[in-house]
Amino acid sequence: MQRTDHLKEAENQEFDICIIGGGATGAGCLLDAQSRGLKAILIEKHDFASETSSKSTKLIHGGVRYLEQAVKQADLNQYHMVKKALRERLTLIRNAPHLAHPLALLTPCMSWMEGIYYTAGLKMYDTLSGDLSIGKSEWLNKEEALKRNPSLTHKIHSAVLYYDGQLNDARYNMSLVKTAMQYGAVALNHAEARTFEKDAAGQLVVLYVRDSLTGRLLRVRAKRFINATGPFADRIRLLANPEMGIRMRVSKGVHIIVPGELMPSDAAILVPKTDDGRVVFIIPYNGKLMIGTTETESELGESEPVVERAEVDYLISYVNRYFEKPITADQVIAGFAGLRPLLQADPNADTKQLVRDHEVEVDPSSGLVSILGGKWTTYRLMAKDTIDKFYELQQMPEEPCVTDHIKLVGAEGYADDFWKVLVNKYAVPEVVARHLNRQYGTESLEIAQLMHDRPDWTERLSDRLPHTKAEVVFVVRAEMAQTLKDVLARRFGLELTDWESSDQISETVADLMAAELGWTDDERRKAVADYHAEIDWFRKSAGLIV
């Protein structure tokens, strides 16, 4: 169905569940509910994965830091959270192998004692993984460590090698939504929850939703409303019941991007401890090098969080402690910042100490169900717990959750060398075929067919990029991309890793989108001008241009 069809469906039926929030958790709830036979709709204010879920460290992990805290503090809650996440790690990889895979990480050790300490901790990490392990940890001597990652400083004593998972977060999120839609779910991006209507008992029965693209107001009816808005959860909770107390704390995570050749290795680096207790990752991602994340207390704002110059300098300073050849701020080519939803237990706790576990909250006054806290790795468990709660509240016989073995769109028939089919059947250039295979799996056949039907769409958007015109058309038609940012930041992920390239191709992308979506010349020009201005704002905020 096209977005216009979803708009009609939103008003023409009563749903079992209306989910507010189109990040990983909301998308997970949508797939879980619909795959159990419920009628579900998802409402997203901006775009799918437009907030936290596209601005993660791109890791699927149990949480080495939380395991350390569990041991030091004898905290069983943190221990169990790590164990659950490690089990989910493999499920995420199995369900979408084109979008998630194991990643080797090195923890540098500056002394023999550090080597002993980190080896013991990561062996415990292995043990918790059990038969779901995706790779065993190993203590490497200095020579072995430098061979695995030549960029490391020669001052290291050794390094501990271990494995976690890596994912393309925005595309994984989009695939959850599309898979749910295949089961019959309705989903709307650029649709803002405005007000609720209640019955005589004070229970929510209707959500009024504003279509941000047309200004039209929709009336969505549902038996139960689920708040899956992550860091913004308190806003929906208070919209449903102004008497509710604040539950969320927010921390800001920041990443910067530098050219991939600055670390010619497939093994990422985990800096396990900074002077102020944070963790820093240095990770190969899509041919670039991603450095993050700082965890700082933050406040919710109306505008998108951005990388600031002090944060750039902070991250570079830690990279240079562990790199033999220092990097500089003028090598930064992009960056992004996201807000992390942390569930508040102790109002005085430091956000670095808050557990990334989750809770399903039910407001008896309004009936609103809120899924609070959590992290990417456990999105499926969060969704399962939330939909289980729906059955309990509705006093319905519970259908079992099946999402642990649902292959996402693009995963059926996928193989690492599936790109060869595109080359052999459609004469797609190898660099483009490999790219499409990683981004779309077997769905890449649909893009190859567009290229076959319209040879002019085989043209690449830039000599530096594998993206073609056909890919733009596909994400508009099949993935509800409605704005330049939808395409460049989420569907392609390019804005997060290469500001210059993203800015340069925006004109061509706008031309293609205008033809597909019926934009006027003025609308197209405004879209491009606004996008140029936003990229300039990112650069200025990061102190990379005056």
Side-chain angles (χ1 to χ4, degrees):
M1 287 194 298
Q2 296 293 317
R3 185 174 183 275
T4 51
D5 298 318
H6 284 253
L7 285 167
K8 292 176 185 175
E9 287 292 316
E11 285 196 302
N12 289 342
Q13 60 178 299
E14 181 183 18
F15 296 89
D16 293 307
I17 293 176
C18 175
I19 301 155
I20 306 167
T25 306
C29 287
L30 186 71
L31 176 57
D32 193 315
Q34 196 73 33
S35 62
R36 295 199 211 190
L38 299 172
K39 289 193 296 184
I41 182 172
L42 182 147
I43 303 296
E44 163 56 42
K45 180 178 180 180
H46 298 299
D47 184 31
F48 309 118
S50 60
E51 298 289 349
T52 305
S53 294
S54 65
K55 296 167 184 174
S56 74
T57 308
K58 325 297 182 192
L59 291 179
I60 315 166
H61 62 99
V64 174
R65 180 178 65 178
Y66 298 124
L67 178 59
E68 182 181 29
Q69 290 176 8
V71 173
K72 285 182 175 179
Q73 302 168 11
D75 187 337
L76 280 177
N77 288 331
Q78 302 223 41
Y79 172 85
H80 288 305
M81 188 195 73
V82 173
K83 194 166 184 177
K84 285 188 297 186
L86 285 171
R87 287 173 179 165
E88 285 302 298
R89 185 179 62 179
L90 186 58
T91 302
L92 265 76
I93 293 172
R94 285 175 173 171
N95 286 351
H98 57 303
L99 298 174
H101 56 85
L103 175 71
L105 294 102
L106 289 172
T107 299
C109 306
M110 305 310 289
S111 68
W112 179 80
M113 285 299 295
E114 281 191 358
I116 291 288
Y117 180 79
Y118 294 130
T119 298
L122 290 166
K123 287 297 181 186
M124 187 182 300
Y125 201 58
D126 288 347
T127 301
L128 282 177
S129 301
D131 58 0
L132 300 178
S133 171
I134 58 175
K136 296 296 183 183
S137 63
E138 184 181 357
W139 191 3
L140 307 180
N141 63 33
K142 179 177 179 176
E143 183 180 358
E144 291 168 332
L146 292 175
K147 184 176 181 181
R148 191 64 194 257
N149 193 322
S151 298
L152 281 169
T153 175
H154 294 182
K155 296 177 182 177
I156 62 168
H157 170 272
S158 54
V160 181
L161 173 70
Y162 76 102
Y163 292 85
D164 260 327
Q166 185 175 62
L167 85 164
N168 184 328
D169 52 8
R171 289 226 53 83
Y172 207 110
N173 197 143
M174 188 68 241
S175 295
L176 289 169
V177 174
K178 290 176 72 175
T179 306
M181 287 163 56
Q182 288 187 344
Y183 277 87
V186 175
L188 286 173
N189 57 353
H190 301 286
E192 181 183 5
R194 299 299 294 266
T195 58
F196 287 108
E197 184 179 306
K198 301 178 181 180
D199 64 14
Q203 298 290 291
L204 307 178
V205 291
V206 169
L207 175 66
Y208 289 95
V209 177
R210 180 181 178 272
D211 179 2
S212 303
L213 302 178
T214 64
R216 179 183 169 198
L217 198 64
L218 310 174
R219 188 173 184 268
V220 178
R221 295 167 295 143
K223 295 175 183 175
R224 190 69 62 169
F225 294 85
I226 292 174
N227 171 19
T229 54
F232 307 94
D234 284 330
R235 293 183 178 179
I236 301 299
R237 292 171 69 247
L238 293 172
L239 190 66
N241 179 4
E243 303 302 317
M244 297 189 80
I246 299 299
R247 294 296 311 279
M248 303 306 298
R249 296 274 295 279
V250 176
S251 72
K252 181 184 179 185
V254 172
H255 299 78
I256 58 174
I257 309 295
V258 296
E261 56 264 26
L262 297 181
M263 191 179 86
S265 173
D266 63 354
I269 296 173
L270 163 63
V271 177
K273 189 176 181 181
T274 61
D275 296 342
D276 53 5
R278 308 181 206 179
V279 173
V280 173
F281 290 94
I282 308 168
I283 303 175
Y285 183 71
N286 282 354
K288 306 294 195 304
L289 193 60
M290 182 171 64
I291 303 162
T293 173
T294 64
E295 287 280 339
T296 54
E297 186 87 21
S298 186
E299 298 290 336
L300 290 179
E302 295 303 321
S303 58
E304 180 176 358
V306 294
V307 180
E308 298 172 4
R309 181 53 188 250
E311 294 162 333
V312 173
D313 294 339
Y314 175 94
L315 290 170
I316 286 176
S317 71
Y318 276 98
V319 172
N320 289 342
R321 292 189 190 188
Y322 290 90
F323 269 25
E324 181 68 14
K325 185 177 180 180
I327 68 171
T328 58
D330 60 8
Q331 292 174 304
V332 174
I333 58 175
F336 58 94
L339 299 176
R340 315 300 194 220
L342 301 175
L343 183 56
Q344 181 170 266
D346 177 3
N348 298 312
D350 188 317
T351 55
K352 295 189 291 293
Q353 304 301 320
L354 292 180
V355 180
R356 294 290 289 279
D357 212 346
H358 66 271
E359 175 188 326
V360 181
E361 176 197 73
V362 180
D363 173 31
S365 175
S366 68
L368 179 71
V369 178
S370 295
I371 173 66
L372 307 173
K375 61 179 183 176
W376 237 115
T377 308
T378 55
Y379 88 87
R380 196 191 67 81
L381 291 180
M382 295 166 67
K384 176 184 181 300
D385 289 349
T386 306
I387 305 306
D388 286 349
K389 179 61 69 174
F390 168 84
Y391 281 102
E392 177 188 325
L393 292 169
Q394 300 301 117
Q395 299 180 336
M396 294 169 58
E398 183 179 313
E399 293 291 331
C401 173
V402 295
T403 54
D404 59 336
H405 61 264
I406 290 179
K407 296 285 189 182
L408 302 190
V409 291
E412 288 291 351
Y414 170 79
D416 288 343
D417 63 351
F418 185 79
W419 60 270
K420 293 179 181 177
V421 175
L422 307 183
V423 173
N424 296 331
K425 185 176 180 180
Y426 293 96
V428 176
E430 182 176 331
V431 65
V432 175
R434 286 181 178 273
H435 157 75
L436 293 176
N437 195 37
R438 287 192 305 271
Q439 297 280 97
Y440 304 92
T442 52
E443 271 200 306
S444 57
L445 287 173
E446 297 181 36
I447 300 174
Q449 186 64 50
L450 286 174
M451 296 166 72
H452 177 267
D453 295 342
R454 286 284 302 269
D456 54 317
W457 286 349
T458 64
E459 184 182 347
R460 286 161 63 178
L461 301 175
S462 164
D463 292 340
R464 298 165 52 186
L465 302 171
H467 304 280
T468 62
K469 291 182 175 180
E471 191 178 347
V472 177
V473 174
F474 175 80
V475 299
V476 171
R477 292 181 179 179
E479 297 186 349
M480 291 191 192
Q482 301 291 303
T483 70
L484 282 174
K485 199 169 181 68
D486 290 354
V487 174
L488 297 170
R490 265 90 58 183
R491 307 301 183 276
F492 289 5
L494 185 64
E495 179 188 298
L496 276 65
T497 60
D498 189 339
W499 285 335
E500 182 179 357
S501 293
S502 195
D503 201 25
Q504 286 178 346
I505 68 171
S506 60
E507 290 266 8
T508 304
V509 173
D511 288 341
L512 292 160
M513 294 186 74
E516 289 294 312
L517 297 172
W519 292 352
T520 65
D521 287 345
D522 285 346
E523 287 172 332
R524 186 197 63 78
R525 279 193 293 269
K526 184 178 187 306
V528 173
D530 288 349
Y531 193 75
H532 288 332
E534 184 168 46
I535 295 296
D536 283 346
W537 170 240
F538 290 158
R539 290 184 175 123
K540 288 176 182 175
S541 298
L544 301 179
I545 59 173
V546 179

